Amino acid sequence: MSRGFPLVAILITFCGPALCPASALAQAAAADEFQLRGKVVNSATGQPISGALVQVADEWSQFSGPDGGFEFNGLPRGQYSVAARKPGFFNDQQLGRWNAGANPLLTVPTEGDVVLKLTPEGIIYGELKKQDGEPAESFQVRALRWRIEDGVKRLEMAAATTTDDRGSFRIADLTPGSYYLMFPPERSGSWNIYDALAPNRKEVGYGRQYYPGVSDRASASAIEIRPGDQVHIAQALRPQPLFQIRGIVRGASSDQGFGLDLTNQDGDTVQRVVRIDKVTGDFQIEGVPAGTYLLSAMALMQIGGGGASATQPPSAFLPVHVQGDVSGLVITLGPGITVGVQVHDETVPDANSNSGSSSNNVLQVGLTMTPEEYPRFSRTISAASTAGVPGAMTGFHGLVPGTYRVKGQPYGAAYVSALRCGDVDLLRDDLAVSPGAALPPLEVTLRNDGAQLNVAVTEDGRPMVTGVVVYPEEYPRQAVLVPTNNSGSATVWNLAPGTYQVVAVRDAGDLDFRNPAVMGAYLDKASVVTLPPLGKATVRVEVQPADERQ
């Protein structure tokens, strides 16, 4: 037995080190797992929110408890995105706040509990009645608010609903801000009736109206919605005189006829009854409220046999301003207003090392033409510098008369160095298109010797997540707005050589960043950088608060 002791001792001595690492690793792993605790609260009241879904890095999730609390155990050390959401509430990302980043990053282990704030929805509700006090049943109600779309400020529809049989309506899920209530024109009856024209008659009805009972947006009252607000609105619609539009359409086949469409600046079709005499081409549109409209006429093409015609039917567009009965209009159908496109490719192989893309040559560009008076008739096409590119087009056809803003966006690693229509520099100015105009082609020049700009944003010396405006001094319309990442950094590729002012603005999502009058409030504190072809530069900027005057 005495001989066994050394052997046992040796075995214990030998096996101990083999067993210890597993135990040590388990202890170390347990020591490197942490807890993330916190609470979800109402940003307006500070009250806890139960039943909110809390997600950590899209891997772990749970619902907040009755006290708004949540607790995640066993999280490895690191940085995690943390988000909470619940119907009837908005987190910062859903509110579109640029200083919120993709999701806030938290470092685990954290110091203390985490507080996640959700903003309660706003609600506008009420009743809509006719002049006689009867409910306005099945009327649409729209909530409008100003939005920045591609750097242009426009009044857009945020939400809509329809009144019930009592004239009641409710619009929920509204973020904080200013809203206008709009009641679109009432429309009923047939669109096109091929019959003899009716005699003139005086009518009244309900055209487009805004709260609190006015016919134009400039006189409307904004409704301010704060977090959690429930605003009651009682609106009585005022009947308005309705007018008639008369004229003649030429160029249509008497066998097939033509169709008419009257559209307001919101993109709504407003006609109630259209009477058309196919033999003479005379037409009559009844029940039109006062306002500015676009009258569209199009020949009806026969479908059958060989199928639909591959060509665009003859058409015409005519702006119409209605303040009373309108007569004597003459519309001549034809191919419509057309403008061709020529793309000049000045890209050089392997010149785009700063582009962030592996493409060496860009042959296509997206072109958008947006009429200022009728933005709903915006048109976008793809054009190419060489023939035979699938999906590419050689120009715009059937344009509406008006003033256009033209934009070009290359597909790939390049920038638009020039965009012209005759002597009009479209990088700087609008394009006027008159009825029946014969326009020179849009000429687009593409280059790929663009520069790279790196931007670091701070606030009191700490990285700040927000939006960055890169504002070219020569061409403000070419300004770009980019978000920083969670470390407060952003990189912009394919910038045209030139001088830029770089500005970081808190909550920049609502910034009219291509408007020199708006940007003037920020440019005094901008960082200025001049970028040569294929250049690289890094600038640091301090975030500025949003100017409340815009």
Side-chain angles (χ1 to χ4, degrees):
M1 293 292 294
S2 62
R3 294 180 179 178
F5 286 110
L7 178 59
V8 172
I10 291 173
L11 289 174
I12 293 176
T13 303
F14 180 78
C15 295
L19 296 174
C20 285
S23 176
L25 288 174
Q27 293 177 3
D32 205 35
E33 292 181 348
F34 302 94
Q35 183 183 72
L36 177 64
R37 297 181 52 185
K39 180 177 292 188
V40 183
V41 301
N42 185 316
S43 66
T45 65
Q47 295 298 310
I49 299 176
S50 63
L53 178 64
V54 182
Q55 292 180 293
V56 177
D58 294 328
E59 295 186 29
W60 303 275
S61 64
Q62 61 179 250
F63 289 99
S64 58
D67 62 347
F70 60 86
E71 180 178 304
F72 293 90
N73 296 301
L75 296 182
R77 184 188 302 272
Q79 283 192 318
Y80 299 91
S81 61
V82 181
R85 52 180 53 87
K86 182 178 181 179
F89 292 86
F90 305 99
N91 57 33
D92 282 347
Q93 292 72 46
Q94 293 168 324
L95 290 174
R97 291 176 176 167
W98 283 62
N99 62 317
N103 271 319
L105 287 179
L106 294 178
T107 301
V108 174
T110 60
E111 296 182 3
D113 290 353
V114 174
V115 178
L116 301 179
K117 296 181 179 180
L118 295 180
T119 299
E121 68 178 348
I123 297 172
I124 300 176
Y125 70 102
E127 300 80 39
L128 187 63
K129 297 183 180 298
K130 297 182 179 180
Q131 185 186 34
D132 57 8
E134 289 296 314
E137 181 182 355
S138 300
F139 274 66
Q140 193 177 65
V141 182
R142 298 178 186 173
L144 313 177
R145 72 178 303 178
W146 291 105
R147 294 190 189 279
I148 305 298
E149 182 179 342
D150 194 27
V152 179
K153 188 174 184 178
R154 292 194 179 99
L155 195 62
E156 300 282 352
M157 184 172 68
T161 189
T162 303
T163 58
D164 61 17
D165 58 352
R166 297 173 297 176
S168 299
F169 66 89
R170 183 178 185 271
I171 300 177
D173 207 33
L174 299 177
T175 59
S178 297
Y179 292 85
Y180 296 91
L181 274 192
M182 192 263 279
F183 311 98
E186 181 184 25
R187 182 168 62 87
S188 61
S190 302
W191 289 351
N192 296 284
I193 298 177
Y194 294 99
D195 198 357
L197 272 58
N200 286 336
R201 58 194 177 99
K202 298 299 181 182
E203 290 184 85
V204 294
Y206 299 103
R208 179 177 59 179
Q209 297 185 43
Y210 294 85
Y211 172 79
V214 295
S215 58
D216 63 305
R217 205 280 308 164
S219 303
S221 297
I223 302 171
E224 294 294 331
I225 297 294
R226 296 167 299 182
D229 275 355
Q230 297 191 24
V231 178
H232 178 263
I233 297 294
Q235 176 73 45
L237 294 176
R238 298 179 181 178
Q240 305 170 0
L242 301 179
F243 304 105
Q244 294 185 357
I245 299 175
R246 287 174 173 258
I248 186 170
V249 172
R250 293 174 176 163
S253 166
S254 59
D255 294 333
Q256 296 173 3
F258 58 89
L260 291 172
D261 195 52
L262 191 68
T263 307
N264 64 18
Q265 292 170 298
D266 297 318
D268 296 315
T269 301
V270 300
Q271 73 263 20
R272 295 166 61 190
V273 175
V274 179
R275 300 183 185 274
I276 295 174
D277 187 327
K278 289 200 301 182
V279 176
T280 65
D282 291 305
F283 68 87
Q284 174 186 13
I285 304 176
E286 302 177 3
V288 181
T292 297
Y293 303 95
L294 187 70
L295 180 58
S296 309
M298 181 173 293
L300 301 179
M301 305 297 288
Q302 184 175 1
I303 299 177
S309 172
T311 61
Q312 177 76 16
S315 60
F317 300 91
L318 183 66
V320 180
H321 302 280
V322 177
Q323 294 298 328
D325 289 337
V326 177
S327 61
L329 297 181
V330 178
I331 301 177
T332 302
L333 300 181
I337 303 173
T338 296
V339 58
V341 175
Q342 295 178 357
V343 179
H344 306 291
D345 186 357
E346 296 185 0
T347 59
V348 178
D350 301 321
N352 53 356
S353 57
N354 294 335
S355 67
S357 170
S358 60
S359 174
N360 288 326
N361 291 294
V362 176
L363 297 177
Q364 295 191 66
V365 59
L367 290 170
T368 301
M369 294 187 66
T370 303
E372 183 177 299
E373 199 169 21
Y374 305 98
R376 299 302 190 280
F377 285 84
S378 176
R379 299 275 303 280
T380 298
I381 66 169
S382 173
S385 59
T386 56
V389 176
M393 300 181 68
T394 58
F396 290 89
H397 304 278
L399 292 177
V400 174
T403 300
Y404 282 80
R405 175 168 291 209
V406 185
K407 178 189 175 185
Q409 182 62 50
Y411 300 154
Y415 65 92
V416 175
S417 65
L419 178 58
R420 306 188 66 86
C421 183
D423 59 357
V424 181
D425 184 352
L426 299 175
L427 294 179
R428 189 193 309 274
D429 301 315
D430 290 334
L431 177 65
V433 177
S434 57
L439 297 170
L442 301 179
E443 295 193 67
V444 190
T445 303
L446 303 179
R447 295 183 61 88
N448 64 340
D449 59 349
Q452 173 183 325
L453 179 63
N454 303 308
V455 185
V457 181
T458 58
E459 183 178 46
D460 298 328
R462 298 188 303 272
M464 179 65 182
V465 179
T466 187
V468 176
V469 179
V470 182
Y471 189 85
E473 293 184 348
E474 187 176 4
Y475 293 109
R477 288 189 177 187
Q478 306 309 304
V480 295
L481 174 64
V482 296
T484 64
N485 57 26
N486 283 299
S487 62
S489 299
T491 299
V492 188
W493 289 279
N494 301 322
L495 287 172
T499 300
Y500 293 83
Q501 294 171 283
V502 185
V503 177
V505 181
R506 182 185 294 274
D507 292 334
D510 293 327
L511 183 64
D512 191 0
F513 62 91
R514 290 184 181 147
N515 187 336
V518 171
M519 291 303 299
Y522 304 99
L523 296 181
D524 287 344
K525 298 180 180 179
S527 295
V528 180
V529 58
T530 299
L531 299 173
L534 298 176
K536 288 185 180 181
T538 299
V539 297
R540 296 184 178 275
V541 294
E542 187 80 2
V543 69
Q544 300 184 41
D547 187 355
E548 296 181 355
R549 296 171 297 175
Q550 59 171 312

